[in-house]
Amino acid sequence: MRVKATELSIPGAWEFLPQSFPDERGSLQICYDATVFADALGFELTVAQVNQSVSRRGVIRGVHWADVPVGQAKYVSCPRGAVLDVVVDLRVGSPTFGRHEVTRLDTVDHRAVYLSEGLGHAFIAIEEDSVVNYLCSARYTPTRERVVSVHDPELALTWPDDVTPILSTRDADAPTLADLRDAGLLPDYAECQRFYQTLRR
């Protein structure tokens, strides 16, 4: 199989590991295979927007997500440098609510992570000028974008001790999970499940 798909411990989050084809010129990886994706998840990935970020070592981006329905699923890879990619379950009512999973994305294994609508996403760059590519299921809509603090003790996210975190003002001043839950701004697990079912029809 040219790409291996494995579901992570958080439902709706997947890791994709491509096979590498090296030769005297270098190497080739199939970083995304629509057939493998559809076989694993039961629907084809709609790509409405492709984003790319370049980050200094220590930059943390996240935890971000978009309101559901619609939301914004992401297929994330790192074609240069290395990042620790974090998926956070923010769906109220989910059996894994509040849990997170970390996957190293780099140019060694060329792994990618897919996170479905309603899941939060963050990463920290652990090498200089790390590039992250996002295949997004929906276009960026500022009024629907949300953020939760990466330092919230309830989330208990940990970052490497040898890296000085660099955050945007928006991310540094982000509200806590409790604040967002009290305000009714977190995704609802049942609503997310209904939305996923529409994708599989």
Side-chain angles (χ1 to χ4, degrees):
M1 184 178 293
R2 296 178 299 180
V3 180
K4 179 183 178 182
T6 305
E7 189 167 21
L8 300 180
S9 64
I10 296 174
W14 290 74
E15 176 190 278
F16 291 86
L17 178 62
Q19 183 180 354
S20 186
F21 300 92
D23 61 23
E24 66 279 0
R25 300 167 298 169
S27 65
L28 169 73
Q29 295 80 34
I30 299 172
C31 299
Y32 174 74
D33 186 313
T35 300
V36 172
F37 184 94
D39 286 347
L41 279 85
F43 61 91
E44 294 183 2
L45 175 63
T46 297
V47 178
Q49 183 171 308
V50 179
N51 300 336
Q52 183 178 89
S53 65
V54 182
S55 300
R56 296 165 50 196
R57 185 172 188 269
V59 166
I60 298 176
R61 299 181 188 266
V63 177
H64 301 154
W65 79 99
D67 289 338
V68 180
V70 182
Q72 188 185 61
K74 298 173 182 175
Y75 188 96
V76 185
S77 60
C78 179
R80 187 177 75 200
V83 305
L84 299 180
D85 193 83
V86 184
V87 177
V88 185
D89 194 345
L90 302 172
R91 303 166 299 185
V92 176
S94 167
T96 55
F97 175 75
R99 283 176 46 186
H100 68 276
E101 185 151 351
V102 180
T103 304
R104 181 185 171 102
L105 306 182
D106 57 28
T107 57
V108 177
D109 294 325
H110 304 279
R111 297 176 194 274
V113 169
Y114 170 80
L115 56 148
S116 59
E117 294 84 350
L119 295 176
H121 180 252
F123 72 80
I124 182 168
I126 54 177
E127 292 185 7
E128 286 293 339
D129 295 327
S130 290
V131 173
V132 172
N133 281 348
Y134 316 73
L135 307 183
C136 302
S137 66
R139 296 181 66 244
Y140 172 73
T141 305
T143 57
R144 302 183 63 81
E145 285 291 307
R146 305 291 179 191
V147 59
V148 62
S149 175
V150 296
H151 298 306
D152 185 349
E154 188 175 354
L155 292 180
L157 304 181
T158 58
W159 309 104
D161 293 333
D162 62 341
V163 176
T164 301
I166 304 169
L167 288 89
S168 68
T169 300
R170 176 178 179 244
D171 288 348
D173 295 339
T176 65
L177 194 66
D179 290 338
L180 292 160
R181 187 168 50 224
D182 292 344
L185 295 176
L186 292 177
D188 178 76
Y189 180 67
E191 187 171 27
C192 289
Q193 291 299 103
R194 288 192 293 271
F195 181 76
Y196 303 156
Q197 289 305 316
T198 67
L199 299 176
R200 297 186 175 97
R201 290 174 184 168

